[in-house]
Amino acid sequence: MDYDTQLINLALDAGEIMLASGAETFRVQDTMQRILSVSGKEKIEALAMCTLLMVTLPREEKGPLSMARAVKNRDLNFEKICAVNDMSRAFVSGKISVTEALDHCRNIYHAPNFKFRTRVFGYALSGACFAFMVGGSVQDFLVSFVIALLMGCTLVYLERKKIDVLRAATEDMAADDFVKDIDFSDDEEDVDLDAIDLLEGVGTEDPVRMYL
């Protein structure tokens, strides 16, 4: 494998890990461009979409080299994102070679995720905190905690079974139930509508907006 192919594979490996771990597309794209810039060539291209990565590296003799890679699974793991960022900085600064960088990416990719209990508790706590964000009471917090706990168990189970369609459907139904359990009838004017902007991009966004 020549250097250009290794460089493109490194950019795609780094982008895949970041995108699959929940990084924003513009950050993924920026990281891939920085990795490709080590080649010293102009007009390098890197494109990151929700489920697809594409990179192009110009070559004078053989013409431009382009590769694409689909990203099927999405999760949330900031530890892996930070690890890829550290790897890319070390590579761009010349501290590690492209071969070493590829090995780092493989290690990051195969690194274990959080334990089952940690993940489920995180789902439950983050889901319950949304109750306070939209003006819910302590009782709403507890109800939302139980719902998010059950949802977390379901999502982890579906993830292990690789049932993506059912996972998405479960997210939507759980988010809908979460909103119905919050009673805005007595204190509707106290709901912090600005807090709804914080829900951008999460499963509860549409149900909350429709309810308000």
Side-chain angles (χ1 to χ4, degrees):
M1 189 183 298
D2 60 15
Y3 182 78
D4 288 343
T5 305
Q6 285 183 315
L7 195 61
I8 279 190
N9 277 303
L10 176 60
L12 289 174
D13 287 348
E16 181 182 5
I17 295 172
M18 293 184 68
L19 194 61
S21 300
E24 302 92 337
T25 53
F26 74 90
R27 295 187 186 278
V28 175
Q29 191 166 299
D30 179 69
T31 298
M32 293 193 299
Q33 286 177 335
R34 291 178 186 274
I35 291 174
L36 294 175
S37 67
V38 174
S39 65
K41 299 176 181 179
E42 298 180 354
K43 296 183 180 180
I44 56 175
E45 298 290 343
L47 176 64
M49 294 182 284
C50 293
T51 57
L52 181 67
L53 301 172
M54 296 182 65
V55 293
T56 300
L57 191 65
R59 297 186 300 180
E60 296 180 359
E61 298 179 358
K62 300 179 180 180
L65 175 63
S66 298
M67 293 181 67
R69 185 177 298 177
V71 180
K72 299 179 181 179
N73 298 320
R74 298 291 298 273
D75 205 342
L76 193 63
N77 193 323
F78 293 123
E79 185 177 1
K80 287 190 176 183
I81 295 174
C82 292
V84 171
N85 283 332
D86 292 339
M87 180 278 301
S88 65
R89 292 190 189 100
F91 174 70
V92 173
S93 62
K95 295 180 180 179
I96 59 176
S97 66
V98 63
T99 304
E100 292 173 324
L102 285 168
D103 290 337
H104 278 296
C105 278
R106 293 190 192 97
N107 293 334
I108 296 170
Y109 181 83
H110 293 292
N113 290 322
F114 297 106
K115 295 181 180 179
F116 175 81
R117 293 181 181 179
T118 304
R119 295 186 63 189
V120 171
F121 180 76
Y123 278 123
L125 185 61
S126 59
C129 287
F130 280 130
F132 287 140
M133 291 175 59
V134 295
S137 64
V138 176
Q139 183 180 1
D140 297 324
F141 174 88
L142 296 175
V143 173
S144 299
F145 183 89
V146 174
I147 293 175
L149 183 68
L150 296 175
M151 183 180 71
C153 294
T154 304
L155 294 181
V156 173
Y157 172 79
L158 294 178
E159 180 183 297
R160 291 181 176 180
K161 294 294 183 179
K162 298 182 179 180
I163 310 177
D164 296 331
V165 176
L166 292 180
R167 177 181 176 180
T170 305
E171 266 187 326
D172 291 339
M173 288 187 294
D176 218 6
D177 290 340
F178 156 73
V179 175
K180 291 177 181 178
D181 283 328
I182 298 179
D183 184 14
F184 296 103
S185 58
D186 297 331
D187 246 340
E188 191 161 332
E189 67 276 8
D190 293 332
V191 176
D192 186 4
L193 295 178
D194 292 334
I196 302 304
D197 292 333
L198 298 176
L199 301 176
E200 193 71 36
V202 301
T204 55
E205 176 195 354
D206 289 340
V208 171
R209 289 185 185 277
M210 290 174 62
Y211 191 93
L212 297 180

